[in-house]
Amino acid sequence: MQIKVGVIGTEEFVQQVLRVIKSFPTFLPMTRVAGNEAEAVTAAEELSRETEALLLSGALPHRAVKLAAMLSSPVFYVPLNGAGLYKSLFKVFRAGKLDRGISIDSLTKAMVTRTLSDLGLEQTKVFVYDGPAYASAKQLVAYHRKLAESGMCALAFTGVEQVAEQLGQCSIENEIIAASDQDIIVTLERALLSTESRRGKESQIVVGMINVDDFGKLAMKRSSEHEVQKLKLDIHRMLLHYVEQLDGYLTALGGDEYLFFTTRGIFERETGGYKTVPLAKEAYQSYGISLSVGIGFGMSANDAGTNARSALRKAKEAGGNACFIIREDSTLIGPLEMADPVQAILAPTDPELIRQAQEAGMTSAYLSKLLHHMARFHKYDYKVHELAALLGITVRSTHRLLVQWMDGGLVEIAGYEKVPRGRPLQIYRFKFLMGRSI
């Protein structure tokens, strides 16, 4: 069952939340458009009877609802901060309207000062409303109107839709400060964690089944049984590492199939809300294999296991290299993206660096490990056994990857280390990361 959440606010706010809430598949939004506090109270009383949480557009309707309505479900609102001001300021800056003075409400002076500083607009003449925390729309309109009529400000920024409408009626130019998508995401996460259904689902057991596609054909290409067993060990090690990230438990079912257990809350976060399976790309890039994955939810371990087997069957019927989820109500989710969302994992990283790594065949999982290790130890040179330990793979696999990365221009041999016996050890340098800000 999905968790019902009430969304109350202006038409623009409701539409923005409906777009953002798509990344929360557990939520089922129920919406009401409310143009003022009185309408918000009425909507909240209606929706509270059938929802587990309410989401309001701002502090004023939130306060009105808390004071006037007797509700059993938790009530949240999306707070405004400097992030919401960036877009509005940039729009006005591009239009060349920041040289005439501005007035701002709904934000603290510290937020406004920090935002202007970040944008290099410290010289802008700005007036920030510092009256009562829950000022009415009438009070805010009077504040902006007084500054505009005195000639001190030519543009008003407000976080209240009613204020913007009334200022427009007075022919005072204004811009709305809207909540950013990230502000809404944070509030939705808080609302999600507050619900009874979520607290129960967070710890719900999830059963996963992984099948290596066409393993028999892959094994036939190996020169000996010894090589086949080594491949199995490599695959098992890779799966262990993935399940470890899920705080789960893995067991081999024999042959080319594996079973794992985790909890629903962890699985949802690691897949980005049931969007992608990072394991798939690593499997292909490292070992040239594709995976079929079936995930089962259930009210009991038996139900979850049965659903996982059915989901795996769906993945195989789809031709492999796919992941499906069957929930406790027998609904199907999928197929999930069988690739690693590099930009999501390495968002702060230079896009050119990501492109360079991908073209040379380096998975984002390996790149992420290297970046974290280099950021912590400022280390760019590795011997092969050091690199194998860092990446969690065998020395043999590491040698193979190094050859591939050298061909792609990511790695070079920086020198040699003498050892008491045998040939000197080669030292590999990740030259494409040298001089980068990590």
Side-chain angles (χ1 to χ4, degrees):
M1 296 292 292
Q2 288 184 289
I3 301 171
K4 294 180 180 178
V5 58
V7 180
I8 302 170
T10 62
E11 180 67 33
E12 293 77 8
F13 173 77
V14 169
Q15 291 303 317
Q16 185 181 8
V17 173
L18 288 178
R19 175 170 51 78
V20 173
I21 210 170
K22 291 178 181 178
S23 61
F24 291 79
T26 307
F27 269 148
L28 176 63
M30 304 183 70
T31 64
R32 293 288 189 280
V33 174
N36 54 51
E37 287 80 29
E39 292 178 0
V41 171
T42 302
E45 290 174 338
E46 292 176 1
L47 289 178
S48 66
R49 304 187 190 103
E50 45 187 329
T51 60
E52 292 193 46
L54 294 175
L55 182 66
L56 299 169
S57 57
L60 287 177
H62 177 262
R63 183 170 184 263
V65 168
K66 296 289 283 186
L67 291 176
M70 298 295 291
L71 307 177
S72 57
S73 54
V75 184
F76 300 88
Y77 75 94
V78 181
L80 292 176
N81 56 42
L85 183 59
Y86 273 98
K87 184 176 180 180
S88 299
L89 274 174
F90 185 67
K91 176 183 175 183
V92 172
F93 172 72
R94 292 187 65 182
K97 297 179 180 179
L98 282 182
D99 57 347
R100 298 177 291 168
I102 60 175
S103 56
I104 300 177
D105 65 46
S106 302
L107 297 174
T108 66
K109 190 168 186 177
M111 289 178 184
V112 174
T113 302
R114 185 167 55 247
T115 303
L116 288 171
S117 177
D118 289 345
L119 292 172
L121 301 173
E122 298 94 332
Q123 304 305 316
T124 303
K125 185 170 68 172
V126 59
F127 296 86
V128 182
Y129 180 77
D130 61 354
Y134 294 100
S136 66
K138 184 178 179 180
Q139 289 173 299
L140 295 178
V141 169
Y143 170 76
H144 291 294
R145 186 171 182 175
K146 180 180 178 181
L147 288 170
E149 291 177 348
S150 68
M152 300 178 72
C153 293
L155 183 63
F157 288 80
T158 179
V160 183
E161 186 75 30
Q162 283 178 267
V163 174
E165 290 178 3
Q166 293 180 36
L167 288 174
Q169 292 169 5
C170 298
S171 300
I172 296 174
E173 193 171 357
N174 64 84
E175 286 288 335
I176 284 285
I177 306 171
S180 67
D181 286 0
Q182 187 59 39
D183 295 332
I184 294 174
I185 288 171
V186 170
T187 307
L188 284 171
E189 288 174 345
R190 290 176 55 214
L192 186 60
L193 294 173
S194 74
T195 64
E196 289 291 336
S197 297
R198 178 61 182 191
R199 284 196 288 270
K201 287 186 177 183
E202 276 281 319
S203 56
Q204 184 181 9
I205 290 294
V206 168
V207 177
M209 291 185 176
I210 302 173
N211 181 272
V212 181
D213 295 328
D214 297 321
F215 183 79
K217 293 181 180 178
L218 198 65
M220 291 296 291
K221 296 178 181 179
R222 301 289 160 168
S223 58
S224 66
E225 179 61 22
H226 187 67
E227 289 294 317
V228 173
Q229 295 302 319
K230 287 170 69 175
L231 175 62
K232 286 184 177 180
L233 286 173
D234 284 341
I235 293 172
H236 198 165
R237 187 178 291 106
M238 175 190 65
L239 296 179
L240 275 172
H241 177 68
Y242 174 67
V243 173
E244 183 181 23
Q245 294 176 326
L246 298 174
D247 285 337
Y249 175 82
L250 176 77
T251 185
L253 296 181
D256 54 2
E257 199 161 277
Y258 300 82
L259 176 74
F260 71 86
F261 299 88
T262 184
T263 57
R264 186 164 182 167
I266 294 173
F267 182 75
E268 183 175 293
R269 287 189 288 273
E270 288 296 321
T271 56
Y274 316 140
K275 294 290 190 304
T276 183
V277 181
L279 172 68
K281 188 173 182 180
E282 181 179 352
Y284 180 75
Q285 294 281 6
S286 299
Y287 306 107
I289 61 175
S290 66
L291 304 174
S292 293
V293 183
I295 305 295
F297 300 161
M299 301 308 294
S300 68
N302 180 58
D303 289 344
T306 301
N307 287 338
R309 175 60 69 184
S310 298
L312 179 61
R313 192 178 304 116
K314 289 281 186 185
K316 299 300 284 187
E317 289 171 355
N321 192 32
C323 175
F324 285 90
I325 300 172
I326 294 183
R327 298 191 297 195
E328 62 271 29
D329 59 357
S330 298
T331 56
L332 184 70
I333 300 175
L336 277 65
E337 182 184 347
M338 298 297 278
D340 207 344
V342 181
Q343 283 78 3
I345 295 173
L346 303 170
T349 306
D350 182 355
E352 175 61 24
L353 180 138
I354 296 173
R355 183 196 62 76
Q356 198 175 348
Q358 284 183 318
E359 288 181 355
M362 178 182 286
T363 69
S364 64
Y366 291 156
L367 179 56
S368 184
K369 288 179 182 180
L370 285 167
L371 288 171
H372 290 152
H373 195 262
M374 290 172 183
R376 184 176 179 184
F377 299 106
H378 303 287
K379 182 179 175 66
Y380 297 89
D381 296 348
Y382 295 85
K383 287 169 281 191
V384 67
H385 66 277
E386 293 175 330
L387 196 58
L390 172 62
L391 301 180
I393 57 179
T394 64
V395 171
R396 182 187 181 90
S397 296
T398 305
H399 272 300
R400 180 176 53 78
L401 288 174
L402 283 169
V403 171
Q404 183 180 348
W405 296 342
M406 282 193 288
D407 290 342
L410 303 184
V411 180
E412 65 182 7
I413 297 175
Y416 297 86
E417 181 182 281
K418 293 183 179 180
V419 292
R421 291 185 177 182
R423 292 181 296 177
L425 297 177
Q426 291 178 319
I427 299 174
Y428 298 91
R429 174 170 296 162
F430 287 82
K431 64 178 183 178
F432 81 118
L433 294 175
M434 299 289 291
R436 299 270 186 173
S437 176
I438 299 174

